[in-house]
């Protein structure tokens, strides 16, 4: 078979630990034999980030802007333990945080649904995608602990010195207070990313906030979504046969539990943090969850939702066998290749991505899987494969499909 050609490079961001090992095997077994892989390679492994004073992360994010599509391996976010483990010059920020700050946008997380790994919510038949706003609210808040009687006010000082004040609370006894904010531009880009992603994936989009209680703050989210929808997306949604639906967050939660899935759930930052963990664990496993950052300018960065699987890596280093699930990392590649194909008008590449996903799902549904899935599958007598065997099994299936 002739290898599939790529006209534009895909930005490849390599990473750390066990996922770096899987990354190399995926390329060797599932990509390079079939594609003339055209990537611009950035090594975001912690050693190279340290060597370049983290400049490589910035360069990689800029390349994602230049070419429009990136695929990223999981990376270590340094903490104190990593400082000594890797002899770091400083405690670098999370690469995902750095990339998000450069690309802006919204993170979409969707479970990979396969037969035999059943969601614990019985009526969920199709994936539920969480779209999480990634800026502001309590993640950029200011808090006060009030020790003595007094009052707390919100004060806005305009550039000309004019003040607007609002009383938060008169305290007769000790208490707590918090101030938080968001930006209209960020809410707008959140809304646009959500609507574009809904069109892209042909799924309805639901958004929930608490505008009955938060009549200015949450009401602004509701207003911005509605306005952008009416002005820019309504007709496109009608043509695509999909809908936008707003309701109170508690009503949305109740509807989600009764729904069968197959839609996008847009969440404010905190709601998205909490609800994505609920949805992913209810669907079975973090190792079966894909994640894509969609910027308001239409750049895409694909990755797995899980981390570097450190515990498995240490076992691997000791020469012990590992059974690490590579599905989310494979789907990060297929997502990126399909999007590259779409941008470049390269249907061969898009078809390849579909087939690689099908091969992966088929292998699991035939009862061959990694240990994490074997522990939760409803299939009888699953065959547990090690990290490499699982990828090899996918290659065998893929060769039959191509
Ligand atoms: P983790 O890598 O997601 O792994 C936590 C545990 O979940 C693993 O020990 C394993 O459980 C299970 N697991 C996760 N992914 C798996 C897979 N693909 N196959 C099988 N089991 C899997 O989280 P962590 O150990 O808390 O973090 C490790 C490093 O990853 C940290 O340095 C963190 O900074 C980084 N991280 C990076 C990202 C990212 O780049 N997006 C995200 C999160 C964390 P068992 O050990 O029980 O088998
Ligand atoms: Mg969280």
């Amino acid at each position: 078979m002739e290898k599939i050609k790529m006209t534009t490079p895909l930005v490849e961001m390599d990473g750390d630990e066990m996922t770096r090992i899987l990354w190399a095997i995926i390329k060797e077994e599932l990509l390079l034999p079939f594609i003339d892989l055209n990537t611009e390679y950035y090594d975001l492994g912690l050693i190279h980030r340290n060597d370049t004073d983290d400049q490589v992360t910035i360069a990689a994010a800029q390349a994602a802007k230049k070419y429009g599509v990136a695929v990223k391996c999981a990376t270590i976010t340094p903490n104190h333990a990593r400082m000594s483990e890797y002899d770091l010059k400083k405690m670098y920020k999370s690469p995902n945080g750095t990339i998000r700050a450069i690309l802006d946008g919204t993170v979409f997380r969707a479970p990979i649904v396969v037969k035999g790994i059943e969601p614990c919510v019985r009526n969920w038949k199709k994936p539920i995608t969480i779209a999480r706003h990634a800026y502001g609210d309590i993640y950029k808040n200011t808090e006060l602990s009030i020790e003595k009687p007094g009052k707390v006010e919100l004060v806005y000082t305009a550039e000309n010195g004019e003040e607007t004040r609002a009383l938060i609370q008169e305290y007769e006894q000790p208490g707590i207070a918090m101030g938080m904010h968001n930006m209209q531009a960020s809410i707008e880009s959140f809304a646009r990313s959500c609507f574009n992603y809904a069109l892209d994936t042909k799924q309805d989009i639901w958004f929930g906030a608490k505008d009955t209680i938060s009549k200015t703050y949450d009401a602004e989210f509701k207003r911005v979504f509605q306005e952008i929808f009416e002005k820019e997306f309504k007709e496109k949604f009608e043509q695509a046969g999909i809908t936008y639906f707003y309701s109170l967050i508690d009503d949305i939660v109740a509807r989600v539990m009764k729904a069968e899935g197959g839609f996008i759930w847009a969440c404010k930052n905190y709601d998205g943090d909490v609800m994505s963990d609920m949805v992913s664990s209810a669907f079975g496993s973090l190792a079966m969850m894909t994640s894509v950052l969609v910027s308001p300018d239409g750049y895409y960065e694909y990755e797995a939702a899980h981390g570097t699987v450190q515990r498995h890596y240490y076992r691997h280093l000791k020469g012990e066998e590992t059974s690490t699930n590579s599905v989310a990392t494979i789907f990060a590649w297929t997502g990126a290749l399909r999007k590259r194909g779409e941008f470049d008008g390269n249907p061969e590449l898009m078809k390849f991505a579909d087939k690689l996903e099908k091969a992966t799902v088929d292998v699991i549904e035939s009862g061959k899987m990694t240990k994490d899935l074997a522990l939760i599958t409803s299939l009888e007598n699953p065959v547990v494969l090690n990290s490499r065997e699982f990828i090899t099994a996918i290659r065998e299936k893929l060769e039959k499909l191509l």
Side-chain angles (χ1 to χ4, degrees):
M1 193 192 92
E2 210 183 309
K3 286 194 194 181
I4 298 164
K5 301 265 182 304
M6 290 174 66
T7 46
T8 317
L10 179 64
V11 179
E12 175 185 354
M13 307 180 185
D14 207 346
D16 287 300
E17 299 194 309
M18 200 60 211
T19 41
R20 188 180 178 99
I21 307 287
L22 298 178
W23 194 263
I25 306 175
I26 289 168
K27 282 175 70 178
E28 172 197 326
E29 293 283 343
L30 302 178
L31 303 175
L32 292 168
F34 311 104
I35 306 174
D36 247 339
L37 201 62
N38 179 2
T39 68
E40 193 162 292
Y41 179 87
Y42 292 85
D43 182 0
L44 266 52
L46 189 49
I47 296 168
H48 194 240
R49 271 184 277 152
N50 190 48
D51 287 344
T52 62
D53 298 309
D54 209 22
Q55 289 308 304
V56 65
T57 308
I58 294 166
Q62 278 158 353
K65 271 188 155 175
K66 178 172 171 197
Y67 295 113
V69 189
V71 57
K72 179 179 169 292
C73 179
T75 46
I76 293 168
T77 298
N79 56 15
H80 284 289
R82 301 296 196 170
M83 292 293 288
S84 44
E85 183 184 354
Y86 283 84
D87 193 16
L88 299 180
K89 290 184 253 178
K90 60 186 262 207
M91 207 188 295
Y92 302 100
K93 286 195 194 144
S94 145
N96 286 0
T98 303
I99 293 166
R100 232 173 270 162
I102 294 171
L103 297 183
D104 192 6
T106 303
V107 176
F108 296 87
R109 290 199 158 172
I112 299 152
V113 175
V114 299
K115 284 192 210 87
I117 312 294
E118 319 298 345
C120 47
V121 179
R122 254 180 299 130
N123 43 283
W124 287 1
K125 304 286 183 229
K126 297 180 206 158
I128 294 171
T129 302
I130 297 272
R132 176 183 170 187
H133 186 209
Y135 178 83
D137 300 353
I138 63 164
Y139 301 86
K140 265 186 155 310
N141 70 355
T142 307
E143 306 186 356
L144 278 181
S145 175
I146 311 299
E147 309 296 340
K148 288 179 257 174
K151 64 177 176 185
V152 172
E153 291 177 292
L154 273 180
V155 183
Y156 160 70
T157 314
E159 274 178 338
N160 66 7
E162 235 171 74
E163 278 185 4
T164 311
R165 287 173 175 266
L167 178 70
I168 291 181
Q169 181 66 20
E170 303 254 17
Y171 290 77
E172 278 157 18
Q173 47 179 311
I176 43 181
M178 175 168 88
M180 61 183 199
H181 82 283
N182 223 297
M183 299 293 183
Q184 197 176 340
S186 177
I187 302 170
E188 285 172 358
S189 77
F190 173 40
R192 286 199 181 91
S193 300
C194 285
F195 293 138
N196 277 323
Y197 195 75
L199 281 172
D200 247 23
T201 58
K202 298 251 183 317
Q203 296 184 89
D204 292 344
I205 183 147
W206 301 7
F207 177 42
K210 197 72 178 175
D211 63 293
T212 45
I213 301 296
S214 172
K215 290 183 164 49
T216 303
Y217 199 108
D218 278 25
E220 179 67 4
F221 277 82
K222 179 183 176 183
R223 188 195 66 74
V224 167
F225 265 71
Q226 194 60 40
E227 184 180 297
I228 289 181
F229 179 70
E230 300 280 343
K231 275 195 190 148
E232 302 172 27
F233 290 94
K234 200 167 179 217
E235 275 169 32
K236 290 183 203 157
F237 267 52
E238 276 164 14
Q239 281 160 14
I242 57 173
T243 55
Y244 164 59
F245 165 64
Y246 174 88
S247 190
L248 290 171
I249 177 79
D250 40 352
D251 177 50
I252 294 276
V253 168
R255 285 170 186 261
V256 165
M257 297 311 289
K258 297 283 182 196
E260 65 161 30
F263 56 88
I264 301 163
W265 179 6
C267 291
K268 288 177 60 207
N269 208 347
Y270 173 80
D271 299 338
D273 186 353
V274 177
M275 293 307 167
S276 68
D277 281 16
M278 185 197 70
V279 168
S280 66
S281 56
F283 269 103
S285 161
L286 208 54
M288 297 292 283
M289 197 81 176
T290 59
S291 185
V292 55
L293 174 71
V294 181
S295 89
D297 305 316
Y299 311 125
Y300 291 75
E301 184 232 337
Y302 292 84
E303 62 170 344
H306 59 77
T308 60
V309 211
Q310 181 181 16
R311 280 206 291 264
H312 294 209
Y313 180 59
Y314 289 153
R315 257 179 259 148
H316 169 84
L317 287 183
K318 279 193 259 168
E320 293 170 21
E321 188 164 86
T322 58
S323 180
T324 313
N325 188 335
S326 46
V327 171
T329 306
I330 293 170
F331 273 63
W333 273 101
T334 53
L337 289 169
R338 186 183 296 107
K339 184 56 74 180
R340 186 72 277 163
E342 190 190 315
F343 281 175
D344 296 350
N346 186 344
E348 290 304 310
L349 199 56
M350 296 171 76
K351 264 185 251 158
F352 174 81
D354 293 343
K355 286 190 177 149
L356 178 48
E357 287 181 1
K358 181 167 172 18
T360 305
V361 170
D362 283 357
V363 166
I364 299 170
E365 292 183 347
S366 75
K368 291 186 243 169
M369 58 194 79
T370 44
K371 192 174 153 200
D372 56 311
L373 296 183
L375 291 171
I376 57 170
T377 185
S378 58
L379 298 177
E380 276 172 36
N381 308 317
V383 180
V384 178
L385 302 182
N386 69 32
S387 304
R388 184 178 273 276
E389 285 167 352
F390 179 65
I391 295 172
T392 313
I394 296 170
R395 175 171 178 168
E396 282 163 15
K397 184 76 208 178
L398 178 63
E399 276 171 348
K400 288 194 194 115
L401 292 178
L402 286 171

